Amino acid sequence: MNKDAPIGIFDSGLGGLSVLRRVREELPSENIIYYADSAHIPYGEKSLEEIRKLSLGVTEFLLEKGCKMIVIACNTASAAALKFLREEFPHVIFVGMEPAVKPAAEQTQSGIVGVIATAATFQGELFASVIDRFAQNVTVLQQPCPGLVRQIENGETDSPQTEEMLRGWLEPMKEKGIDALVLGCTHYPFVEKTIAKILGPGVQIIDPAPAVARRIKFLLGGEKLLNENPQKGRVAYFTSGDTEKFSGMLEMLLHEKGNVRKA
């Protein structure tokens, strides 16, 4: 495998951009192909079988483009399809998203932590495994956030309606004593400011994306696949949805312009 080969990153839509930005900070020389499966968003409302089927199709697309690693920058797809994809492609390096319950459990003083995610993420084996491994001695409050992904995809990151939705989910958790909140969906960092406003300074907000970026660097280094080119890497964007809408949201969320192609 060529070291200059791109890293493939995919999500159901825009959420994976929160992972992409951290990967670019950690690994600025890497070339990246980002795939937003916006035509089928949100994954969180689909069956596990359907999510696996969609994830399989996107993975095949990225492998055809010569990607040296596949990053599932979507908690829902990771919960539903990571194990399945590793079995389908045993020679491919996969990195998935795992709710950051471990650091929350290690850092909590109250012994109560919160996790916000899609219903599908909570239903997956991966989440149950994380709780079993890392949260035996703490109370974990689970809160699905139906409709939040759509709000973010529509650019409603700081609208009054989005804040009202978040207050309805977060204020009861705060009243129960959480001092750490895990963002269990890659879309949610884009409303982190509103979340912080609601919860106040006494609650730590944990985004797993920086740890995922470090994991990617570690795995590529172990396989001797790190791009050693001193120049800044290129990013190619593909979407199964509306390319103009994606371009506009890319500019809004990452403050940059990119050539978005239809997949």
Side-chain angles (χ1 to χ4, degrees), residues 111-220:
I112 306 171
V113 303
V115 182
I116 54 174
T118 66
T121 295
F122 288 129
Q123 291 164 6
E125 291 178 17
L126 182 60
F127 185 77
S129 169
V130 168
I131 295 295
D132 188 54
R133 283 179 287 151
F134 305 124
Q136 290 295 315
N137 299 314
V138 300
T139 299
V140 179
L141 304 182
Q142 303 174 25
Q143 179 58 62
C145 299
L148 185 55
V149 167
R150 286 191 187 277
Q151 288 291 106
I152 295 165
E153 288 282 329
N154 290 330
E156 301 286 331
T157 54
D158 55 2
S159 71
Q161 184 184 2
T162 299
E163 182 174 338
E164 184 181 352
M165 292 167 72
L166 284 165
R167 282 191 182 279
W169 296 315
L170 297 175
E171 286 179 346
M173 300 175 85
K174 186 179 179 183
E175 288 170 7
K176 289 177 182 175
I178 66 166
D179 63 356
L181 180 76
V182 176
L183 304 182
C185 171
T186 54
H187 280 77
Y188 298 172
F190 292 119
V191 290
E192 187 172 344
K193 285 184 180 178
T194 304
I195 291 171
K197 173 184 170 184
I198 295 166
L199 293 177
V203 180
Q204 182 181 7
I205 300 168
I206 302 175
D207 173 12
V212 170
R214 292 192 294 271
R215 177 69 176 164
I216 291 167
K217 185 176 184 178
F218 173 79
L219 290 174
L220 288 178

Side-chain angles (χ1 to χ4, degrees), residues 10-31:
F10 81 87
D11 179 39
S12 59
L14 299 163
L17 294 176
S18 68
V19 177
L20 171 70
R21 66 183 175 186
R22 299 299 187 184
V23 174
R24 292 169 75 190
E25 288 170 7
E26 189 74 31
L27 296 162
S29 297
E30 295 292 341
N31 298 310

